Each structure stands twice: as C-alpha cells, then as structure tokens.
Amino acid sequence: VSEPANRADGVATAARRDVACLPAYNAGLSAADVRERYQVTRIAKLNSNENPFGPSPRAISALTAFAADAALYPDGGCSSLKKDLSGFLGVDADRLIVGNGSENIIELACLAFLNPGDRVITLGPSFGLHEIYARAMSASVEKIEVGADLQFDLPSWWSALRTCAKIVMFSNPSNPVGCILRTAEFRDLIRRTPADSVLVVDEAYYEFAQGAEYPDSIRELDRQDRPWLVLRTFSKAYGLAGLRVGYGIASSPDVVRLLDRVRTPFNVNSAAQIAAAAALQDQDHVARSVRGIVGERIAMRRDLIERGYEVAESHANFLFIKVRDDAQLCANRLMARGVVVKPWRDPGYARYIRVSIGSPADNGYFLAVLRDVNGH
Ligand SMILES: Cc1ncc(COP(=O)(O)O)c(C=O)c1O
C-alpha cells in the first residue's frame, strides 16, 4: 500500500508548533554505522565522551548476576541506590532523584518548572538538550556565548541575570568547550541570579574537574533559599553510559516530589540501578579512570598546540579544537579513516570539533590521522 502523498505535511500540521521546529539532537554515529558506511576496520570512537577504561569490574559482576531477575519490575523509587548515594554524598536520600541518564532529569526539570514563554538562560555553545527540552516546553532560551578566550563571558552573564528568568541552567565544566566557572565566579553567579529563578547546575563532568578552583556546588547552594538542582552522572567517569543512569541533588525534598510527578514510574531500569550501586563502591576505578584520562588530555592538548591548533583549556574528558576549515568536512575526512569526532555546527563554532579523550592508542591514532588529513 502506498503512503498518502501528503503524509509528512499532515504530521507537521498536527505537531505542536514548538515541537515541529525543534532542532534534532545530534547523537552522532555508532561504531557499527561508521564501519558499515566507510568500510573501515579500525575505529577510534571519540564523539560521545565515553570512558575508555570501561565500567568497574564490580559493576560487570553485578550486571552478570542480575540477569536472572530481569522478569521483575525495577524499584521505581531507586531506594537502595539513593541510600548509597546519600551516604556517599552526605545528603539526605529524600533530596535525591535518579534518572534515565542525567539528561532525563534535565527533561523533568523543564517539564516541572517551565510555562510557555518562560525565559531560560543557558550557556552557548551548549549541551544540546539544555536548549531542546526547554524549547519543547515553549520556553524562550537565551544563550550566553563563551568569550573569544573560550571561557564563561561573565559581563554578559551579569547583564543577562538582571532580567528575571525561570531557569538558569549550564554545565560546569561546560560541554563542548570544557571551561569552568571557578568558586568565586560561581558564588557571584548565585548572588546575581534572580531570587525566584531555579538554578540547574549540570555537573556531568564533575569528577574530571576536581581541584582547588572548582566549586563545591552543593555546599555553596545549600546556603540558598531557592529551588536548585545539581546533576551528576554514571555515564562519564563511572563508564556506564550504555545503562543510562544519572542523579540529581535537589535543594529540598519538595523539588524531588515535584519532579516525581512528571517522571515515568520506572524511569531507571534494574540493571542500571544495580550496576551504579556497584560502581559507586569502586572509587579506585573512578580515580584510575580520571587520572588516566586527565593525563592523556594534558598531553594531547600540549601536542595539538605545538602543532599550531587552537585548543580550549579543558576541565573535562574532551578537547574543543579549532580546525583549518569547516568542522563537518574535517570530521568526514577523519571518519573515512575510522576516527569519529563531533563537529560543531552552531554559528560561530563551525570550525570546531570536539574530541573525547579515549585510550592512549585511540588518541595516538586520532593525532596521526588528523596530521594526515589536515597537513599539521
Ligand atoms: C553536559 C552534559 N549533561 C548531561 C549529559 C547526559 O549525560 P547522561 O548520559 O547522564 O544522560 C551529557 C552527555 O554528554 C553532557 O555532556
């Protein structure tokens, strides 16, 4: 049976206006896609900021033992994992929310807080979902672009914060640039954020940024009399991206109860809950991963700068690199050799690629292929 000719038009007409014009999230290609499309055998997958060390052996054992219980529904309240996180973080369990990845909690916050027309302030360039989920709720999103130095442009933030906003949301360290808001700047931002704004601080790369300058956001925010959320994830330093589990620390149990009303009841599957709990117990694995990745990041950035590239200072597990010509072209050439990176397309950043820090072998392969395709 042939499809009615106007089928696609019908969908566009039926769709909510603000959904129909949303940009699609660019999740990138999988290793299998690249293998098939380019007929390459060697793949260095450096486009999704995954952990090259993989999950903790303890998480792998927990997952293997879990398989026989797959017939049962998960614990919809993630009570056991919340109890473990509570002990780990020193935060009461009723102030924690667990999500199907931390991106799920971004979605819940947008669903729970945003009315049509509300203003959301975020960072540019940004993690796509900070903008997409807000726009899906018909909010108006204002992006504060990083400065020419690829750091937070504080004067622009201060001026944006003079007008009321329902949500102020940004990642620290930022994705894709990798810059951070330092402790004094973070305090200043909190002080200048309108009293009735909800602050959402996305710390997906928290573990990589630990150091003297990086704010202890929970301690800083705990003195605040406003709703706030700090988001973290098991996808990056813990190496569990495929299982989808992240968590949020909220200002109060009321915030968690509000988000609970809009989440699907079993949003985190059992395998994810069990593996995350086991991974949390293996902080040695996290520390080893972070040490290895940060060491590689520093060496890789130094090498690229010596070769004439402009590379943003990064506090995360990736580098934001300016290339000679169009980023998409560069990414395509790299991909034809099996190196998968993420090209940026937003106006102003169309010459930047984001490259995840992978295993030493994959990083070395990327550096060699980049020289081949770019001539330096
Ligand atoms: C800033 C930021 N927030 C959230 C996420 C989503 O992470 P998760 O896998 O926990 O959904 C990512 C993933 O790349 C990210 O870069």
Side-chain angles (χ1 to χ4, degrees):
V1 182
S2 62
E3 298 281 313
N6 64 348
R7 187 164 185 251
D9 289 344
V11 172
T13 316
R16 260 186 54 223
R17 191 167 30 85
D18 291 321
V19 173
C21 58
L22 280 180
Y25 179 72
N26 172 17
L29 294 177
S30 69
D33 292 336
V34 175
R35 200 169 282 123
E36 192 183 312
R37 191 180 293 185
Y38 293 92
Q39 299 297 308
V40 281
T41 44
R42 168 144 202 200
I43 306 271
K45 189 177 179 301
L46 303 175
N47 62 336
S48 299
N49 304 339
E50 293 146 335
N51 184 343
F53 292 87
S56 150
R58 291 204 208 180
I60 296 172
S61 311
L63 275 173
T64 312
F66 156 75
D69 290 330
L72 305 177
Y73 278 93
D75 167 7
C78 292
S79 47
S80 175
L81 178 57
K82 278 188 187 174
K83 191 160 159 269
D84 293 352
L85 282 168
S86 165
F88 178 68
L89 299 163
V91 173
D92 289 346
D94 60 3
R95 285 177 56 196
L96 300 175
I97 176 136
V98 186
N100 183 38
S102 56
E103 71 189 23
N104 180 208
I105 308 172
I106 302 169
E107 179 188 19
L108 298 180
C110 291
L111 274 167
F113 288 111
L114 292 175
N115 288 306
D118 278 348
R119 178 167 178 254
V120 173
I121 301 179
T122 191
L123 181 63
S126 73
F127 176 54
L129 296 177
H130 290 168
E131 182 181 356
I132 290 174
Y133 285 139
R135 280 178 52 187
M137 298 306 296
S138 306
S140 88
V141 177
E142 186 176 336
K143 284 207 246 177
I144 313 300
E145 301 296 332
V146 292
D149 56 355
L150 297 176
Q151 302 282 340
F152 280 75
D153 176 0
L154 296 176
S156 297
W157 273 90
W158 304 159
S159 106
L161 291 170
R162 278 196 210 110
T163 319
C164 68
K166 176 57 82 63
I167 294 185
V168 174
M169 169 161 59
F170 58 91
S171 55
N172 193 30
S174 92
N175 172 15
V177 176
C179 56
I180 56 165
L181 207 52
R182 293 167 169 80
T183 301
E185 299 161 344
F186 187 77
R187 277 190 195 140
D188 221 0
L189 180 128
I190 296 172
R191 190 171 56 78
R192 292 169 187 257
T193 297
D196 52 359
S197 299
V198 179
L199 258 167
V200 180
V201 184
D202 182 341
E203 294 186 341
Y205 302 96
Y206 164 85
E207 292 83 0
F208 301 103
Q210 290 302 289
E213 299 183 297
Y214 187 64
D216 180 347
S217 56
I218 301 172
R219 219 181 89 199
E220 298 297 333
L221 286 163
D222 252 341
R223 305 187 188 121
Q224 289 280 302
D225 190 18
R226 72 162 83 243
W228 56 260
L229 275 163
V230 170
L231 309 182
R232 300 208 182 135
T233 183
F234 285 94
S235 297
K236 309 298 177 185
Y238 288 85
L240 294 177
L243 289 173
R244 317 301 306 119
V245 52
Y247 59 96
I249 302 111
S251 46
S252 70
D254 284 344
V255 172
V256 174
R257 280 191 283 271
L258 184 76
L259 301 187
D260 275 344
R261 288 192 206 162
V262 288
R263 79 176 164 84
T264 109
F266 302 107
N267 63 332
V268 184
N269 70 70
S270 305
Q273 293 186 39
I274 288 164
L280 191 65
Q281 301 310 318
D282 194 353
Q283 289 300 318
D284 284 349
H285 181 78
V286 177
R288 254 194 315 276
S289 299
V290 170
R291 244 193 336 269
I293 290 166
V294 169
E296 280 289 300
R297 183 192 73 208
I298 291 168
M300 215 159 124
R301 180 165 184 260
R302 195 183 307 127
D303 184 336
L304 287 163
I305 288 173
E306 276 169 15
R307 281 160 53 171
Y309 287 95
E310 196 182 303
V311 189
E313 184 188 354
S314 172
H315 297 263
N317 63 343
F318 51 80
L319 292 172
F320 199 50
I321 305 165
K322 190 169 191 180
V323 292
R324 203 178 43 192
D325 45 18
D326 182 68
Q328 184 69 62
L329 260 176
C330 174
N332 291 348
R333 289 190 200 119
L334 291 169
M335 199 142 51
R337 300 274 307 272
V339 177
V340 195
V341 303
K342 188 155 180 166
W344 235 254
R345 294 178 190 148
D346 303 355
Y349 307 101
R351 281 179 59 196
Y352 284 90
I353 57 172
R354 191 198 66 196
V355 182
S356 309
I357 309 301
S359 66
D362 282 353
N363 300 335
Y365 186 53
F366 158 72
L367 290 169
V369 175
L370 186 74
R371 191 186 289 285
D372 287 349
V373 304
N374 266 356
H376 69 122

